[in-house]
Amino acid sequence: MNAQAIALDTLRAALRWEGPGSVAVEDGSALADLAAWMVEQAGPWPDAARVTMESLIAMHRARSDSQEDWRRLRVSAVTLGDSDDLETRWAGWVAEAAAWPLAASRSGLAEIFRAVAQLCADRAAAETGWTVQDRAQAEEILGKLASGTDGAVPPREKIPALFAAADPVLEKRFKAQLDAGNAAYEVFRKAVIAWLKDRIGQNNGPAVEGDVRG
Amino acid sequence: MIHDDDLAPSEEIANGRLQLFMFSANWCGPCKAMTPMVEDIAESYADEVAVAKIDVERSAALAERFHIRMVPALVLYREGQEIARHTGSMNRTRLSLMLDDAIGGGAA
């Protein structure tokens, strides 16, 4: 099995898509196009991230093997990923995942998929009004609930109800952002499967249902 | 993969290189997701770093010795001394930076 086929198998595991089994990928250009396409789906970019993201897409499309250029992009990606601006930080996390050549990489496609899917989920959650402060507050409450009181740790399945009792307004908003995030993740997952079926011709996999982006 | 609580074979294989221990568990989804990335890193840094995967249930004493409370956990080790640690998921770029810092120069 060649490196591209291994990378594709790793991506399919991340997609939870069994498909027809391992396939030979003779030409890496389709997978490079997939990497570039996935990064594109995470746009539009904030101004601070635009040059880095466009360079990444161009490097994948060109199947660049310039280690120096990839390393330079990784440095830019980390700078974005450490930004105080949320949108810039999200773009940076995608850039960090994408700033590697696909050749001889098992994990490249799967890493890009996870990063973009997470960005889609984070954006959808934020569109419900969910903020970084909300998340910190929810994590604090959930952490305390999971730790239990007086040495008694509650069963995991009871934690949502305990959260609702502790802060009903925050719990309702927590669930709304979680549902929105999960739905956005799922839309992107299905879009990637649809891309694979279309471009690589794996038409024996499970049916793709629902709307897809891109 | 280290299957018991003995680090000696891993140290022998490392032969003076840095050692990166990835503590994981077979029920841990993020550990499974990270494994291909860590394998890529192991190949890219093969000259400088020896990578070993440790299952916290099969090597419980090692997990205790390294004070592992959550998985995945990455511990970077040089000549018997821990020099860096990360708990939780990590992407390839951040892990390569951690290794570059330890090695003291660019790699991959």
Side-chain angles (χ1 to χ4, degrees):
Chain A
M1 186 184 289
N2 63 22
Q4 281 92 5
I6 294 170
L8 189 55
D9 272 2
T10 305
L11 173 63
R12 292 194 326 190
L15 291 167
R16 292 174 282 115
W17 181 50
E18 292 181 3
S22 296
V23 295
V25 181
E26 302 301 336
D27 177 5
S29 64
L31 300 188
D33 283 350
L34 174 57
W37 177 83
M38 286 195 289
V39 175
E40 281 178 339
Q41 303 312 297
W45 316 114
D47 287 344
R50 184 160 296 117
V51 170
T52 299
M53 305 314 288
E54 289 175 354
S55 297
L56 277 171
I57 291 166
M59 294 263 289
H60 276 298
R61 286 244 156 83
R63 300 173 68 186
S64 170
D65 61 358
S66 166
Q67 295 297 326
E68 187 180 332
D69 287 347
W70 286 111
R71 190 175 291 120
R72 181 179 49 77
L73 279 175
R74 284 197 286 280
V75 172
S76 300
V78 169
T79 301
L80 296 174
D82 288 338
S83 170
D84 291 332
D85 175 71
L86 191 57
E87 282 281 343
T88 303
R89 196 157 67 237
W90 286 341
W93 294 343
V94 171
E96 288 178 20
W100 294 87
L102 289 182
S105 167
R106 297 170 180 81
S107 64
L109 288 171
E111 292 271 295
I112 297 170
F113 161 70
R114 285 196 192 91
V116 177
Q118 188 60 52
L119 178 143
C120 293
D122 288 342
R123 272 201 186 128
E127 283 168 7
T128 69
W130 190 251
T131 66
V132 172
Q133 291 76 19
D134 291 332
R135 178 175 173 161
Q137 193 181 346
E139 285 178 351
E140 185 181 345
I141 293 171
L142 287 166
K144 282 180 183 167
L145 292 172
S147 301
T149 50
D150 301 327
V153 176
R156 185 182 293 263
E157 65 271 17
K158 291 204 171 165
I159 288 179
L162 292 170
F163 186 12
D167 192 332
V169 174
L170 188 67
E171 190 273 343
K172 193 173 176 183
R173 294 180 56 233
F174 175 84
K175 187 170 183 316
Q177 65 83 25
L178 194 61
D179 289 346
N182 286 341
Y185 191 103
E186 190 64 6
V187 166
F188 183 65
R189 185 183 75 86
K190 287 176 176 173
V192 175
I193 293 172
W195 193 102
L196 285 168
K197 286 184 171 183
D198 181 49
R199 283 293 301 275
I200 300 184
Q202 298 179 63
N203 292 314
N204 298 319
V208 177
E209 298 170 353
D211 296 329
V212 295
R213 287 166 47 133
Chain B
M1 172 69 95
I2 294 172
H3 293 290
D4 52 27
D5 294 314
D6 185 7
L7 273 186
S10 174
E11 283 166 356
E12 191 176 320
I13 291 168
N15 192 26
R17 291 176 293 169
L18 285 169
Q19 289 179 278
L20 176 67
F21 299 124
M22 177 185 173
F23 289 89
S24 64
N26 62 11
W27 42 262
C28 166
C31 302
K32 287 177 185 163
M34 273 179 65
T35 296
M37 180 277 285
V38 172
E39 289 171 357
D40 279 344
I41 284 283
E43 266 188 32
S44 300
Y45 285 84
D47 291 342
E48 299 100 349
V49 183
V51 179
K53 195 172 170 189
I54 301 171
D55 186 300
V56 293
E57 290 178 342
R58 296 176 77 166
S59 305
L62 265 185
E64 187 60 34
R65 174 179 153 191
F66 281 86
H67 308 290
I68 302 299
R69 297 286 174 263
M70 291 173 63
V71 288
L74 296 163
V75 177
L76 196 55
Y77 217 60
R78 176 160 49 204
E79 295 167 358
Q81 297 290 321
E82 178 178 329
I83 55 174
R85 171 183 293 239
H86 177 87
T87 301
S89 294
M90 192 179 209
N91 67 35
R92 190 174 171 189
T93 291
R94 296 281 171 168
L95 179 53
S96 78
L97 287 179
M98 184 170 126
L99 297 179
D100 288 347
D101 279 350
I103 293 164

